Amino acid sequence: MTDTLVEESAGRLFADLVSPALVNAAEAGTWPADLWRAVAAAGFPDALAAGAESPGDLSGMADAAAILREAGRHAAPLPLAETMLARWLLAGAGIAAPDGPLTVAPVDHPSGFVLGWEGAIRRVSGRAAGVPWARLAQGIVVCIEDHVALIAPGQAELRNGKSLAGEPRDDLSLDAVVETKRAPAGVDAVLAFRLGALTRSVMMAGALDQVLALTVQYANDRVQFGRPIGKFQAIQQQLSILAENVAAAGVVAGAAVEAAVRKGDLGFAVAVAKSRIGEAAGKVAEIAHQVHGAIGFTHEHRLHHLTRRLWSWRDEFGVESEWSSELGRLAASRGGGGLWPLLAGW
């Protein structure tokens, strides 16, 4: 019940404040300050950390996922998922989180940074490509094995870039003394990467929900040859495939969130979710744009705000082939007698 109320609250906030004009302005380089203030005032960036019953606990993931699904549904141009994860990591390690938006790195593989000693203090070095919102973040959180490091603005060298969705994706190079502490038991770089994949999966599920709604509405409104195009059998068949993929994405995203909250097999659940939702993103975007035709690509239309984010998010925190390979490794490690309990238990 709690996550439903949170989802409704988040849905109202994003519906009121995230307009196509705001998304277009953000993609042109304007930081949506009013939107961030509203999100911060609602307590959304702290949802994951505040829900933790102890350092490293993921009890807050249900509320966090409910918020992120609505953020994805409305294509909210904010580093909300990154800030949630960063604050959770910092809280678990006992590092004070800076005010404002934060981000995490890396997003292309679990490792990429090295932790060394400089006298009695720790030094972090490494590189990361396509770090979300790095140039606008008040801090970049890196998980190096079982340590958490907070990189302050100006400590890392950044090369600005953009995703397919027009959002900041910056290359980072670091060799500096930064604040570093040991993560709580069970938290390491692999878990941080899995949680990043989980947040992307949930956001993609929300975006897919909205793509389905827009496409069905357009098919019912658009009249050709004297009747709505949604009445044509060929269009109906395509819409059924679209709806099938959206439904599957919602199921596996929800199951992965439940695995996090209930301390289930998170590695397996995230691998299923990220691989299946990434596959769905490609199929759904293709069909949606075929049904909409050219209007779906116009600057004013909302469809491309969603589909371009789907294409961008599916590439972050592991692509489908990588997570499919992980599924194979997990299945093989259980042996012939362990596969069915793995499937049934998930």
Side-chain angles (χ1 to χ4, degrees), residues 3-333:
D3 55 325
T4 301
L5 295 175
V6 171
E7 186 172 359
E8 291 175 354
S9 175
R12 288 193 297 269
L13 186 150
F14 291 125
D16 289 343
L17 298 180
V18 182
S19 65
L22 181 139
V23 178
N24 287 333
E27 292 181 6
T30 300
W31 169 250
D34 290 342
L35 176 60
W36 178 260
R37 280 193 290 269
V39 165
F44 293 167
D46 292 307
L48 184 57
E53 297 177 356
S54 60
D57 179 71
L58 288 168
S59 297
M61 183 56 76
D63 285 349
I67 295 166
L68 291 176
R69 188 156 182 164
E70 289 302 314
R73 189 190 308 274
H74 293 87
L78 294 173
L80 183 54
E82 295 82 356
T83 302
M84 284 182 177
L85 181 53
R87 293 191 178 184
W88 179 80
L89 288 167
L90 292 174
I95 300 175
D99 293 331
L102 304 173
T103 192
V104 293
V107 298
D108 53 351
H109 52 80
S111 59
F113 292 88
V114 176
L115 186 62
W117 287 97
E118 185 170 298
I121 55 179
R122 307 309 295 263
R123 188 175 192 89
V124 177
S125 59
R127 299 174 181 271
V131 179
W133 303 90
R135 78 193 77 156
L136 297 171
Q138 298 304 303
I140 302 168
V141 176
V142 175
C143 210
I144 311 118
E145 297 180 354
D146 60 349
H147 283 71
V148 175
L150 173 62
I151 304 168
Q155 285 189 302
E157 180 182 340
L158 299 178
R159 186 176 66 183
N160 293 352
K162 281 190 173 185
S163 69
L164 280 173
E167 295 180 339
R169 293 295 187 271
D170 307 324
D171 294 342
L172 178 153
S173 178
L174 174 70
D175 185 16
V177 174
V178 301
E179 186 174 6
T180 307
K181 289 188 178 181
R182 188 176 293 276
V187 176
D188 57 15
V190 172
L191 177 62
F193 192 77
R194 285 174 176 164
L195 294 177
L198 176 54
T199 62
R200 284 294 185 268
S201 298
V202 170
M203 293 166 68
M204 291 168 70
L208 288 167
D209 287 339
Q210 188 64 11
V211 169
L212 173 61
L214 289 174
T215 306
V216 170
Q217 185 65 52
Y218 182 80
N220 287 328
D221 292 343
R222 177 76 167 92
V223 175
Q224 189 69 34
F225 304 112
R227 56 177 174 163
I229 63 172
K231 298 295 184 181
F232 290 94
Q233 186 174 7
I235 299 295
Q236 291 174 345
Q237 181 183 21
Q238 291 298 92
L239 290 177
S240 68
I241 296 172
L242 191 157
E244 169 196 334
N245 279 275
V246 172
V251 169
V252 294
V257 170
E258 185 173 354
V261 173
R262 296 180 179 273
K263 300 177 176 61
D265 194 329
L266 184 61
F268 181 77
V270 169
V272 171
K274 192 61 163 64
S275 57
R276 182 61 183 92
I277 296 175
E279 178 186 1
K283 292 180 179 178
V284 167
E286 178 183 353
I287 293 172
H289 278 291
Q290 287 175 343
V291 173
H292 278 83
I295 195 173
F297 285 101
T298 57
H299 196 60
E300 296 78 13
H301 204 280
R302 199 161 187 81
L303 180 63
H304 70 94
H305 291 154
L306 297 162
T307 54
R308 286 188 292 111
R309 280 164 176 77
L310 286 170
W311 291 324
S312 172
W313 293 338
R314 72 186 292 192
D315 287 342
E316 295 175 337
F317 295 104
V319 298
E320 296 99 281
S321 59
E322 293 169 337
W323 285 111
S324 295
S325 296
E326 177 66 10
L327 276 176
R329 286 191 291 270
L330 289 170
S333 69

